[in-house]
């Protein structure tokens, strides 16, 4: 419990210096929170965040397929979902394509329709096509 020992050491030092306990506790927690935020941002998104992103892409894809909208609108919607989740380039993020595949499955597209979607979205990229297939198979 490294944080606990740091907090206690900080409390002891600050009480000797005449600071109030609430000021020292607040400073210790602010410091700890800042440290945690730094390590979280440097280590990337959590698996829960990634799953939430894939699920939003899946649900959006499902709704889009059922509504029969235009492809340009589909990609704009993906851009908005990516921004919401802090994904700067959805086209380079394989979770996007896994989510699309899962959405196509949820929408009930046939294997033939899946191939058309893979062709249009993967644009010749075998990794993207495999990710769509992976999502569809889940």
């Amino acid at each position: 419990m490294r944080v606990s020992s740091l907090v206690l050491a900080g409390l002891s030092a600050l009480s000797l210096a005449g600071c109030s306990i609430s000021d020292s506790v607040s400073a210790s927690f602010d410091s700890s929170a800042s440290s945690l935020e730094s390590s979280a941002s440097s280590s990337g998104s959590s698996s829960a965040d990634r799953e939430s992103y894939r699920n939003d892409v899946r649900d959006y894809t499902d709704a889009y397929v059922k509504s029969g909208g235009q492809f340009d609108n589909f990609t704009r919607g993906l851009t908005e979902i990516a921004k919401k989740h802090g994904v700067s380039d959805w086209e380079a993020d394989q979770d996007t394509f896994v989510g699309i595949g899962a959405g196509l499955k949820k929408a009930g597209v046939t294997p033939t329709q899946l191939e058309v979607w893979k062709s249009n979205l993967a644009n010749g990229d075998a990794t993207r096509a495999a990710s769509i297939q992976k999502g569809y198979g889940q």
Side-chain angles (χ1 to χ4, degrees):
M1 298 295 148
R2 183 173 179 224
V3 173
S4 296
S5 61
L6 289 175
V7 170
L8 290 175
L11 286 174
S12 298
L14 290 171
S15 64
L16 291 173
C19 295
S20 75
I21 290 178
S22 63
D23 289 343
S24 60
V25 169
S26 176
S28 295
F29 283 119
D30 289 345
S31 174
S32 296
S34 176
S35 173
L36 290 173
E37 287 171 9
S38 296
S39 62
S41 63
S42 66
S43 66
S45 299
S46 73
S47 61
D49 292 340
R50 300 307 297 167
E51 183 178 355
S52 176
Y53 175 62
R54 285 189 307 270
N55 289 343
D56 282 355
V57 170
R58 177 201 62 210
D59 294 342
Y60 171 73
T61 302
D62 172 44
Y64 174 83
V65 168
K66 289 176 179 172
S67 73
Q70 295 181 330
F71 186 73
D72 287 346
N73 292 337
F74 179 67
T75 58
R76 276 195 291 268
L78 289 174
T79 300
E80 291 305 311
I81 292 168
K83 282 181 190 176
K84 174 183 148 190
H85 287 275
V87 175
S88 59
D89 184 5
W90 67 263
E91 293 175 294
D93 190 307
Q94 295 311 305
D95 281 333
T96 303
F97 297 96
V98 172
I100 290 169
L104 294 172
K105 177 72 170 190
K106 187 176 178 184
V109 302
T110 66
T112 302
Q113 291 169 321
L114 173 66
E115 291 306 315
V116 171
W117 276 89
K118 283 188 341 189
S119 175
N120 289 332
L121 285 168
N123 204 22
D125 185 320
T127 303
R128 288 181 181 178
S131 295
I132 294 170
Q133 186 67 51
K134 176 182 175 184
Y136 186 82
Q138 293 179 344

